[in-house]
Amino acid sequence: MASVHKLLNGTYILRKCLKPRVVFSPFWGTHFADYCSSSFQKPVAAPGKASSQRKTKWNLEEHHQREVALEITSPEDKPEISFDKAIKEEMKGHFRHLKDDIVNYWIGPEGRPLHEVLMEQAKVVWQFRSKEDLDKWTVTSDKAIGGRSEVFLKMGRNNQSALLYGTLSSEAPQDGESGRSGYCAMVSKIPRGPFEMKRSYDWSHFNTLYLRVRGDGRPWMVNIREDTDIIQRKDQMYSYFMFTRGGPYWQEVKIPFSKFFFSNQGRIRDAQYQLPLDKISSIGFTLADKVDGPFFLEIDFIGIFTDPAHTEEFAYENSPELNPRLFK
């Protein structure tokens, strides 16, 4: 009878130990563990120790559930990335701009009636009042060819102007090819229309460039480029000097378009041509006075206007158009 009692007791303990328990592990995944220990008799823990073990176990399970919740996300929460949808939206935007351009073309230049454009005496083309206005410009220096000049562009005080500043260095790059260096420039970006088509400015109703600037006494070169698709003309520009006074006061600079001289690859040409005002591509400011050191130029706005007192058409007589006999 005693042997039967021992056999039944051993069977009960073995059945209790073989009951599996599900354990979640971040390394091994879901598995079954803790079937039985080396002895059939499970040790009895103290009440305080058992409660701390339960808390630790609950904390581990809660931490693991949080990790699983972070790793497993429903498909609805994932952002949808569709290139076809992006292309369609881009095409819709271009066609929308094209429609606006067609409507504005039938209304008049720049979407205004023609009589308003013809009667206009002054116009602000660029002004600097926000970060978006700075995005229409780009800066460059002789670092592109290995020089050491630095130039930066930022908003001025109270976001009422653009501040161009940096350091000019005329030290030639040590590449064995370039013998000269030392320039910094600020150039306006070419305006773009629908489908990235190039646009141009029409200044044919004005005769003078008008700027409000404040500098440090250095001379700057104002460069205007025409809109052209001919590769041979990509280095051609029309330039004139702008002298800053220095000091804390603003100055108004007025440069007639008839004063701009023609240059190619930085060299003034013998044959001079008039600036085509009906297809202006961009305007820029270049500093290259060979005076090493810091500089700054603050610009309030850049505009154009009609000066009734200025009647000169072209300031240079060595022009094939005005004096063709000089080039026979």
Side-chain angles (χ1 to χ4, degrees):
M1 190 68 181
S3 60
V4 173
H5 178 72
K6 290 181 180 180
L7 179 62
L8 293 177
N9 190 19
T11 305
Y12 172 77
I13 295 173
L14 181 62
R15 185 179 60 182
K16 186 176 181 181
C17 292
L18 289 176
K19 185 178 180 180
R21 182 174 55 153
V22 181
V23 177
F24 296 94
S25 173
F27 302 99
W28 301 102
T30 304
H31 63 280
F32 298 92
D34 196 17
Y35 287 104
C36 189
S37 61
S38 58
S39 62
F40 290 101
Q41 187 70 24
K42 184 177 289 188
V44 179
K49 186 176 181 181
S51 61
S52 62
Q53 290 179 354
R54 291 194 196 97
K55 290 181 180 179
T56 305
K57 177 181 177 182
W58 291 341
N59 293 335
L60 290 175
E61 290 181 355
E62 183 180 359
H63 177 69
H64 176 69
Q65 290 176 1
R66 290 178 182 176
E67 290 183 350
V68 173
L70 290 175
E71 294 177 358
I72 303 176
T73 56
S74 61
E76 298 178 355
D77 297 338
K78 294 182 179 180
E80 295 182 0
I81 302 176
S82 175
F83 291 100
D84 295 337
K85 184 177 179 180
I87 293 174
K88 289 180 180 179
E89 294 295 333
E90 186 73 15
M91 293 297 293
K92 287 181 180 179
H94 284 299
F95 277 111
R96 193 181 305 111
H97 293 316
L98 181 61
K99 177 184 176 181
D100 296 339
D101 286 353
I102 295 175
V103 173
N104 293 335
Y105 177 80
W106 289 107
I107 295 175
E110 301 178 359
R112 297 184 300 166
L114 182 60
H115 68 276
E116 291 185 5
V117 178
L118 295 177
M119 296 296 293
E120 191 175 28
Q121 299 295 320
K123 178 182 179 181
V124 176
V125 184
W126 291 279
Q127 62 179 356
F128 303 94
R129 300 294 182 268
S130 63
K131 181 64 168 57
E132 289 74 17
D133 296 331
L134 291 184
D135 294 338
K136 300 177 182 179
W137 295 79
T138 181
V139 293
T140 181
S141 67
D142 54 22
K143 274 192 173 182
I145 59 174
R148 298 187 176 183
S149 300
E150 293 182 338
V151 60
F152 307 96
L153 180 65
K154 68 176 184 179
M155 293 299 300
R157 183 177 300 178
N158 299 327
N159 293 334
Q160 296 297 315
S161 61
L163 181 61
L164 181 69
Y165 67 100
T167 305
L168 188 69
S169 174
S170 58
E171 182 179 353
Q174 304 297 325
D175 56 359
E177 298 180 358
S178 303
R180 296 182 302 174
S181 182
Y183 72 88
C184 295
M186 168 184 174
V187 185
S188 64
K189 296 180 180 179
I190 300 176
R192 298 284 179 174
F195 300 100
E196 296 298 322
M197 293 187 297
K198 291 195 302 181
R199 288 179 172 175
S200 59
Y201 300 99
D202 186 1
W203 298 347
S204 56
H205 301 292
F206 307 92
N207 61 6
T208 305
L209 183 68
Y210 185 27
L211 308 97
R212 188 170 185 262
V213 300
R214 180 166 57 182
D216 55 358
R218 288 175 177 257
W220 291 76
M221 185 76 75
V222 182
N223 306 311
I224 298 179
R225 293 181 180 270
E226 65 171 317
D227 184 17
T228 179
D229 294 326
I230 303 175
I231 299 178
Q232 289 78 4
R233 295 184 179 179
K234 67 177 182 178
D235 295 326
Q236 296 179 357
M237 64 178 64
Y238 300 82
S239 308
Y240 198 72
F241 300 99
M242 180 182 68
F243 300 94
T244 59
R245 292 194 297 258
Y249 301 106
W250 291 91
Q251 68 178 100
E252 296 180 355
V253 180
K254 300 177 182 178
I255 306 175
F257 290 128
S258 61
K259 301 293 185 181
F260 282 82
F261 52 85
F262 175 70
S263 63
N264 188 10
Q265 295 182 351
R267 299 180 181 272
I268 302 175
R269 312 307 297 179
D270 293 335
Q272 289 295 310
Y273 299 91
Q274 288 181 283
L275 174 63
L277 295 174
D278 58 339
K279 47 181 179 180
I280 302 298
S281 174
S282 64
I283 188 172
F285 304 91
T286 303
L287 177 65
D289 58 356
K290 298 183 180 180
V291 179
D292 296 353
F295 67 88
F296 82 92
L297 177 67
E298 192 172 0
I299 306 175
D300 184 8
F301 65 85
I302 304 170
I304 48 180
F305 80 104
T306 300
D307 187 2
H310 183 76
T311 58
E312 183 182 48
E313 293 184 3
F314 196 49
Y316 310 102
E317 62 180 9
N318 53 338
S319 172
E321 299 175 356
L322 300 180
N323 294 317
R325 60 184 180 83
L326 297 178
F327 298 90
K328 289 183 179 181

